[in-house]
Amino acid sequence: MTSPLRPQLDLTRLPRHVAIIMDGNGRWAQRRGYNRIRGHQEGAESVRAVVRVARDLGLSYLTLYAFSEENWQRPQIEVQSLMHLLSRYLKKELAELRAQNIAFRAIGALSLLPQKVQREINAASAATAEGAVMTLTVALSYGSRSEIVRAAQELAEQVRQGVLAAQEITHELFAQQLYTKDMPDPDLLIRTSGEYRISNFLLWQLAYTELYFTETLWPDFREEEFLTALMDYQRRDRRFGLTQEQIEIKA
Ligand code: FPP
């Protein structure tokens, strides 16, 4: 069933790229007396719901923060459960992603993931590579500062080898070294669960992104909440550092 909010959305002014920090699975579970894993399971249902809505509406890119570099320090049982959930998601959803013409990809320090998960990610990425309607990117073992340092090291090495002059390093060239090199920057970042932080997510890419924070915990974030966030985005006035007059002339 689609939400009664859908007709209120202006389909001509949707963000191209939405990034989401999916937070609050643990609290959702604790409030109900469940263990944290159950919260992640429900969170995976929200992933399914949000991917479907994003694709139906015609968003081009959806990027989800599923596992941060810091998350490796969580109890081993929780880390294993998250890896298991990811495997299960890839297995269960692969046919659906293909049918829906969605390209799946993962970003982050993927070599740190269990070999089995890496193989599944590679298989899912290859099997959906032709997906032209939407790109679903899942950030795993991801940390934005590490991504930026890695980019700096790569460019420094090119300068050392004499194939690049330091003055030739521009914003565009730098962005080309990031995991997100073939994606536009997010237009909208959503964070659930009432936390007002970026938590080392896409620090470079979020420079001009609109930020939306909601108290809703991720397992409760479904179509209705997603549409509410998109409607809020549509009320924003994006100026990219210019004056309103300049924006009007450009348009
Ligand atoms: C944050 O909640 C959520 C995570 C660390 C994991 C997100 C993973 C999923 C939604 C499920 C699997 C993902 C996919 C792509 C199928 P938290 O545990 O930090 O919550 P808390 O702050 O309330 O403790």
Side-chain angles (χ1 to χ4, degrees):
M1 227 198 39
T2 56
S3 158
L5 289 181
R6 279 214 195 185
Q8 295 180 39
L9 262 187
D10 177 353
L11 296 180
T12 65
R13 287 184 56 238
L14 285 169
R16 250 180 107 194
H17 183 177
V18 175
I20 307 184
I21 301 177
M22 310 182 287
D23 198 8
N25 294 350
R27 274 163 288 167
W28 183 92
Q30 274 153 5
R31 282 178 199 172
R32 287 166 177 75
Y34 304 145
N35 65 21
R36 299 176 52 81
I37 315 296
R38 175 84 185 269
H40 296 314
Q41 286 167 350
E42 280 300 313
E45 294 305 317
S46 293
V47 169
R48 286 190 183 89
V50 165
V51 168
R52 200 173 317 119
V53 175
R55 194 262 178 216
D56 283 0
L57 289 175
L59 304 193
S60 302
Y61 298 88
L62 179 67
T63 301
L64 305 176
Y65 201 5
F67 194 84
S68 72
E69 266 178 357
E70 293 78 19
N71 286 155
W72 287 116
Q73 288 152 36
R74 291 199 174 189
Q76 182 132 16
I77 178 84
E78 185 169 342
V79 171
Q80 280 171 356
S81 299
L82 281 167
M83 294 300 144
H84 177 74
L85 264 179
L86 181 70
S87 287
R88 214 174 67 179
Y89 176 82
L90 289 177
K91 262 194 222 113
K92 269 181 79 177
E93 297 299 306
L94 186 56
E96 184 67 14
L97 292 173
R98 278 169 64 92
Q100 299 274 301
N101 218 349
I102 297 173
F104 172 86
R105 50 176 303 203
I107 58 170
L110 303 180
S111 62
L112 300 179
L113 298 172
Q115 295 277 336
K116 177 174 167 287
V117 177
Q118 288 186 48
R119 280 196 300 275
E120 287 163 351
I121 288 172
N122 290 339
S125 308
T128 60
E130 306 291 311
V133 170
M134 185 177 88
T135 299
L136 167 64
T137 303
V138 177
L140 292 165
S141 190
Y142 175 86
S144 186
R145 286 186 172 176
S146 297
E147 178 186 32
I148 289 170
V149 166
R150 202 172 142 268
Q153 287 170 341
E154 175 60 35
L155 292 172
E157 182 56 24
Q158 290 182 28
V159 172
R160 192 189 66 78
Q161 289 176 7
V163 292
L164 181 71
Q167 300 81 338
E168 286 170 347
I169 301 175
T170 57
H171 291 188
E172 290 73 24
L173 190 70
F174 197 87
Q176 280 306 306
Q177 314 304 314
L178 301 174
Y179 296 127
T180 49
K181 64 172 185 280
D182 35 23
M183 288 193 245
D185 288 341
D187 301 295
L188 173 65
L189 171 80
I190 298 171
R191 182 174 188 146
T192 57
S193 91
E195 307 286 354
Y196 295 78
R197 291 189 289 276
I198 303 297
S199 298
N200 203 15
F201 189 45
L202 303 176
L203 299 177
W204 171 280
Q205 297 87 337
L206 294 177
Y208 288 101
T209 301
E210 295 295 325
L211 308 179
Y212 178 85
F213 299 98
T214 171
E215 296 290 324
T216 303
L217 304 175
W218 177 251
D220 290 327
F221 192 93
R222 302 279 162 99
E223 174 167 358
E224 201 87 355
E225 286 74 19
F226 193 24
L227 297 179
T228 303
L230 294 173
M231 283 179 349
D232 188 274
Y233 168 84
Q234 293 191 329
R235 289 192 289 271
R236 309 276 178 101
D237 198 6
R238 299 188 79 195
R239 290 200 294 271
F240 301 94
L242 302 179
T243 65
Q244 188 55 38
E245 220 173 16
Q246 288 172 306
I247 298 283
E248 279 157 20
I249 291 166
K250 270 174 80 175

